[in-house]
Amino acid sequence: MGYVALVIFGLGMTSLATNTDVIDTPGLSAVPGVAGIVVSAAGFSAVLGAGLRVPHPSFYTALWAALAAAVAYLAGVWIAAVTSGVDTAMAASVVGRLAVGWAAPVVAVAAFVTAWAAIAVLRTRARPPRWPWERNDTEG
């Protein structure tokens, strides 16, 4: 869930900072953008989930997760645009603008940061903080 929140925050803040819409195509609703984020989360989760199953996950998994998230985002937008009635050329134009603009890099960076953090937490075997009375120290 943190990945989706970071993507939405990143896209929203970049949209505000640049004063542009993420998808700026007349006649296209918000459905392709939402579908792109959902499909992106599925691609991100699949790659990161597979990468975290190994005993000592590599940080290179974060790169693969970022690539998968960005490609899945573009594929999700294209599929949703075509199924919503836009012709394939217009859908390809939208995806092309997302790929070379700022939207796909924002999705990739959000995926990389989230995946890197998940791998770091797993590799360090981090545990939640505990109060002194919850510890099993013999010195207490």
Side-chain angles (χ1 to χ4, degrees), residues 49-116:
L52 293 179
R53 285 190 184 98
V54 297
H56 192 70
S58 170
F59 283 107
Y60 287 112
T61 304
L63 289 173
W64 290 110
L67 181 64
V71 169
Y73 174 70
L74 297 174
V77 168
W78 187 83
I79 291 168
V82 169
T83 58
S84 69
V86 174
D87 64 341
T88 57
M90 181 64 77
S93 171
V94 169
V95 168
R97 279 183 278 155
L98 291 175
V100 298
W102 52 264
V106 166
V107 170
V109 167
F112 179 80
V113 168
T114 308
W116 187 90

Side-chain angles (χ1 to χ4, degrees), residues 1-14 33-34 36-38 40-42 44-45 69 106-107 109-111 113-115:
M1 195 63 160
Y3 165 70
V4 173
L6 190 58
V7 168
I8 292 171
F9 178 77
L11 290 174
M13 290 295 112
T14 308
V34 173
I37 291 175
V38 170
S40 173
F44 170 79
S45 299
V106 166
V107 170
V109 167
V113 168
T114 308

